[in-house]
Amino acid sequence: MSATAQSDSAVRVEGLCKSYVKDGSPALSDLSFEVGKGELFGLIGPDGAGKTTLIRILTTLLLADRGTASVQGLDVVKDFRSIRRLVGYMPGRFSLYQDLSVAENLAFFATVFGTTVEANYHLVADIYQQLEPFRDRLAGKLSGGMKQKLALCCALIHAPSVLFLDEPTTGVDPVSRKDFWGMLGRLRDSGITILVSTPYMDEAARCDRIALLQHGKIIAMDSLAAMLASHATETFAVRGERPFAILQDLRAYPGTRYCFAFGQEHHLVLHHDAGGPAAASAYLRERGHGEVGIRRIEPNIEDVFIGLMHEQSKELRGQAASELGHE
């Protein structure tokens, strides 16, 4: 990679692999990507996809088995002390001192990094103003949303250039989630690079780019708009009186490419030669389903993710069959 490309990257990962000895399964498998300076980059995926492992490697808390990673041009192994001074890290589990007050926690973290709350108050002012009425309350007594705001303040108080957030909105109410992402947008606008992981697909819309992770691999990476545009698959929403039975029957239908539950409905993708929604509706009627509504919808990020997982599973099954055929 050219020097110019490197200078534009805040985070760079090449061929990163990590397995845990307990079961030997790969937590990360040959991961490679870059995050540009000033970018709000999202790692989207279910539990066990490898998000936390990746963030812990990038914040120098865990060693990879193979591959390289750098933050602001600094190697995560050789330059771990320098990296720890210039990044902010907010782990998934609330990890502040619960027997210290809000104000005491913030002052403590500022002191650890050799600064003061007063020197960098402008970085956390918008967030801390919401905490000000509770400044003397013990951190352990705060609500979930307030705990996340305090953790973000403590991660920012030393003026980091890169911020790593591991599932910061898990277990937080919808209003607090919205407020939190508004704060991240303002931090990005101030020039801070943010890498955030989340299991919530709807939060992808808040990121400049996203990487979809599954089983330690990136199965897609782009802006949300580009991913949706590339997903040209015709998608239908199906609703009826016996949703579970409908889901089972649709999955057994020969014309179904894949189908999954989505709230009170099911999202359905058919094979091109399946006869369309009319044939699927007739099939359901034959199996005793009365009033079943099938309508075409615009696919969302969940549809993209499920579609990519389906294609990945097909490839793996094909590889396994090919290997068995050569034995």
Side-chain angles (χ1 to χ4, degrees):
M1 177 173 290
S2 68
T4 301
Q6 289 188 39
S7 65
D8 290 337
S9 300
V11 176
R12 185 184 179 200
V13 171
E14 288 189 351
L16 214 58
C17 297
K18 178 66 181 179
S19 294
Y20 292 105
V21 176
K22 182 185 291 186
D23 57 8
S25 60
L28 299 176
S29 181
D30 197 27
L31 222 59
S32 298
F33 69 95
E34 294 183 21
V35 179
K37 290 183 178 178
E39 186 175 18
L40 176 47
F41 187 89
L43 296 172
I44 315 292
D47 292 344
K51 305 184 300 295
T52 295
T53 297
L54 174 60
I55 288 178
R56 288 177 63 82
I57 290 173
L58 292 174
T59 51
T60 76
L61 300 175
L62 189 67
L63 291 173
D65 296 333
R66 295 191 306 279
T68 61
S70 62
V71 178
Q72 298 291 58
L74 300 171
D75 185 87
V76 295
V77 178
K78 298 175 184 176
D79 306 310
F80 70 94
R81 288 189 177 86
S82 298
I83 288 176
R84 290 178 182 180
R85 286 194 293 269
L86 58 83
V87 303
Y89 171 49
M90 185 173 160
R93 183 177 297 179
F94 184 69
S95 58
L96 304 184
Y97 293 97
Q98 303 205 37
D99 55 351
L100 293 182
S101 69
V102 168
E104 288 169 340
N105 264 290
L106 193 58
F108 172 78
F109 279 90
T111 303
V112 165
F113 285 98
T115 185
T116 63
V117 174
E118 293 74 20
N120 291 324
Y121 183 75
H122 63 284
L123 294 171
V124 301
D126 287 348
I127 311 167
Y128 193 73
Q129 284 169 7
Q130 301 175 49
L131 289 165
E132 187 68 38
F134 314 103
R135 66 185 314 276
D136 295 321
R137 182 175 297 182
L138 296 182
K141 301 296 184 181
L142 294 173
S143 67
M146 287 299 177
K147 283 181 177 178
Q148 298 303 74
K149 291 181 176 70
L150 176 58
L152 183 57
C153 284
C154 291
L156 287 169
I157 199 59
H158 63 292
S161 58
V162 183
L163 189 60
F164 293 96
L165 308 173
D166 189 5
E167 299 193 1
T169 57
T170 299
V172 176
D173 65 271
V175 174
S176 295
R177 278 178 60 193
K178 183 178 179 181
D179 288 345
F180 194 90
W181 277 92
M183 295 172 196
L184 295 189
R186 291 191 290 275
L187 291 171
R188 182 270 315 276
D189 293 342
S190 72
I192 296 176
T193 302
I194 302 172
L195 189 150
V196 56
S197 71
T198 176
Y200 300 122
M201 296 289 173
D202 61 301
E203 294 184 344
R206 302 279 193 156
C207 302
D208 298 319
R209 284 190 306 141
I210 56 175
L212 299 181
L213 265 70
Q214 177 70 355
H215 301 311
K217 295 182 178 180
I218 292 177
I219 57 177
M221 183 168 59
D222 212 327
S223 68
L224 176 60
M227 281 193 187
L228 293 176
S230 66
H231 187 77
T233 306
E234 195 172 37
T235 305
F236 300 94
V238 183
R239 180 187 287 262
E241 291 183 358
R242 295 184 294 142
F244 183 68
I246 289 174
L247 180 62
Q248 288 181 308
D249 284 337
L250 283 174
R251 286 180 170 171
Y253 176 47
T256 295
R257 188 171 162 196
Y258 56 88
C259 182
F260 65 97
F262 190 84
Q264 299 299 312
E265 299 179 320
H266 305 307
H267 284 194
L268 170 68
V269 174
L270 298 166
H271 291 295
H272 293 301
D273 57 354
S281 182
Y283 167 84
L284 290 173
R285 286 196 300 272
E286 289 173 3
R287 274 148 186 77
H289 300 285
E291 292 295 323
V292 176
I294 302 181
R295 58 187 173 82
R296 184 176 178 178
I297 59 172
E298 290 296 322
N300 56 33
I301 187 61
E302 284 91 346
D303 295 303
V304 174
F305 188 76
I306 295 295
L308 290 167
M309 284 178 57
H310 174 76
E311 294 303 319
Q312 187 182 55
S313 296
K314 274 179 53 180
E315 289 178 10
L316 291 174
R317 288 196 298 269
Q319 290 173 7
S322 176
E323 289 171 2
L324 285 172
H326 285 89
E327 287 183 357

